[in-house]
Amino acid sequence: MMPFLKRIINKTILRTWKPGGTKTYTHYNPTRAYRNFIITTKRYTKDFILITIGIFLAAFGFKGFLLTNHFIDGGATGISLLISALTDIPLHYLIIGVNVPFIILGYIIMGKEFAVKTILAITGLSICLLTVTFPNVTNDNLLVAVFGGFFLGAGIGFAVRGGAVIDGTEVLALFLSKKIGATIGDIILMINVMIFAAAAYFLGVEVALYSMITYMVASKTLDFVVEGIEEYIGVTIVCLHSEEMRQMITETMGHGVTVYNGKRGFGKRGESQAVDIIYTVVTRLEIGKLNSEIEKVDSNAFVVMNSVKDTRGGIVKKRPLH
C-alpha cells in the first residue's frame, strides 16, 4: 500500500476518538480498511457520474422541450413548471425552492447522505438550467410531450440510481404513507391529480392533457432507467428429480441454487413425502429457457414464480449500471 494512501486511511477509516479527545486506532487490518476505502470511493464516483448525467438529461428535457411550450410534469418538477409558467419566476430558482421541504423530509426519513446528495443534485440542476444553453428542439406539441417526458424521466432516473432525487414528491409520499396509512402510489396519484387539475384551470385543458402525456412518458422512462429491462424472478421448484434439476440450473442456466428440505403433502389422508426444494433467481428474459429446461427434466414439477426487487451476491446475472 502506498504511504500516502496509508496515511489517509489511518487518519480517516481507522481513527476513532475517545470522549476525552485522545486519538486511538482500532484493530482493523489496514488491508481490509484499504479495500473498504476503494469500494467506497468507487461507489461515490459512480453516484457522482450518474447524478451528473441525470442533471444534464433533465435540464435538456426542460429547456429543449417543456419550458418553451409551457408543458408540465407531475410532482415537484410539475409544481415548479406550473409556477414558472404563471409567474415568470425563473425555473432554476423554483427547482430549489419547491424542493426544500422535501429535502428536509428526506434528511429525517432517509438520512444525511441522501439529503446531501439530493441538495447537490438539485443545486446542480438549477445551475445547469441557469448557465447551459440548450436548443429548442421542436414546437410540435406531441413531440414535446413525449420527448420532454422521456429526457426528464431519464434524468430523474439516473439521479435515483446515484442515490439522490431531483423531484422530492416520493419522499413526501413515503412520509404521508406512514402517517395516514395510504400507499405511496395512491398519494403520488392524488398529488398529481391536483397538479394537473390546476394546470387545466390556469393553462387550459389542452396543455393539461399534453402534460399528462409528459408525465406518463417520464414515469415509464424513470421505471425503465431504475429497474432496467430485466426483472428478477424468484423460482421455487418442487419435484422428484431434484438433483437433475439442480444440475440443470447450475450447468445449463449458469445460476446458483439454494436447496432445502421439505415435505410433499398430498392425498385425502394427508400423506407426505420428503423432497428437496430448489430455489433460484433468474431474469425475466431467461424465463422461457428455464421453463423449457424444467419440462425436459420433469414435466410434472411444481413451479412457483414471483417477482424479486433486486439481488445481491450469489450467481445471478446483474442488471446494467448496478
Side-chain angles (χ1 to χ4, degrees), residues 256 312-316:
R312 182 176 181 180
I315 305 174
V316 63

Side-chain angles (χ1 to χ4, degrees), residues 28-179:
Y28 282 105
N29 189 314
T31 302
R32 181 179 179 183
Y34 174 73
R35 177 176 176 273
N36 292 342
F37 174 77
I38 294 300
I39 291 173
T40 302
T41 302
K42 287 182 178 179
R43 179 169 69 88
Y44 283 126
T45 301
K46 185 192 77 170
D47 290 347
F48 173 78
I49 293 172
L50 291 174
I51 292 172
T52 302
I53 293 173
I55 287 171
F56 280 95
L57 287 174
F60 181 59
F62 280 132
K63 299 187 75 172
F65 296 92
L66 300 178
L67 278 177
T68 54
N69 293 274
H70 300 296
F71 286 0
I72 69 171
D73 183 31
T77 55
I79 297 172
S80 302
L81 286 165
L82 180 60
I83 296 175
S84 178
L86 295 176
T87 64
D88 292 328
I89 298 175
L91 182 63
H92 53 269
Y93 292 135
L94 292 169
I95 286 290
I96 295 177
V98 170
N99 278 289
V100 166
F102 303 130
I103 294 173
I104 296 173
L105 277 178
Y107 177 79
I108 296 172
I109 298 173
M110 306 294 292
K112 180 180 178 180
E113 180 178 328
F114 172 82
V116 170
K117 286 183 178 180
T118 298
I119 290 172
L120 294 176
I122 292 173
T123 303
L125 177 60
S126 178
I127 294 173
C128 187
L129 290 172
L130 177 63
T131 60
V132 180
T133 301
F134 294 99
N136 182 31
V137 178
T138 180
N139 290 317
D140 182 275
N141 287 340
L142 183 59
L143 293 178
V144 168
V146 172
F147 286 96
F150 171 78
F151 284 105
L152 181 57
I156 296 173
F158 274 100
V160 170
R161 295 294 290 267
V165 295
I166 52 181
D167 186 313
T169 311
E170 290 194 6
V171 177
L172 175 62
L174 179 62
F175 176 78
L176 292 177
S177 68
K178 296 180 179 180
K179 297 295 183 180

Side-chain angles (χ1 to χ4, degrees), residues 289-309:
K289 180 180 179 181
L290 178 63
N291 283 330
S292 176
E293 295 297 329
I294 291 174
E295 185 75 15
K296 294 177 184 178
V297 175
D298 187 350
S299 60
N300 295 317
F302 178 67
V303 182
V304 178
M305 300 184 184
N306 58 282
S307 296
V308 176
K309 187 66 175 178

Side-chain angles (χ1 to χ4, degrees), residues 3 15 42 55 78 192 212 273:
R15 186 175 66 186
K42 287 182 178 179
I55 287 171
N192 288 328
M212 292 175 68
Q273 180 181 359

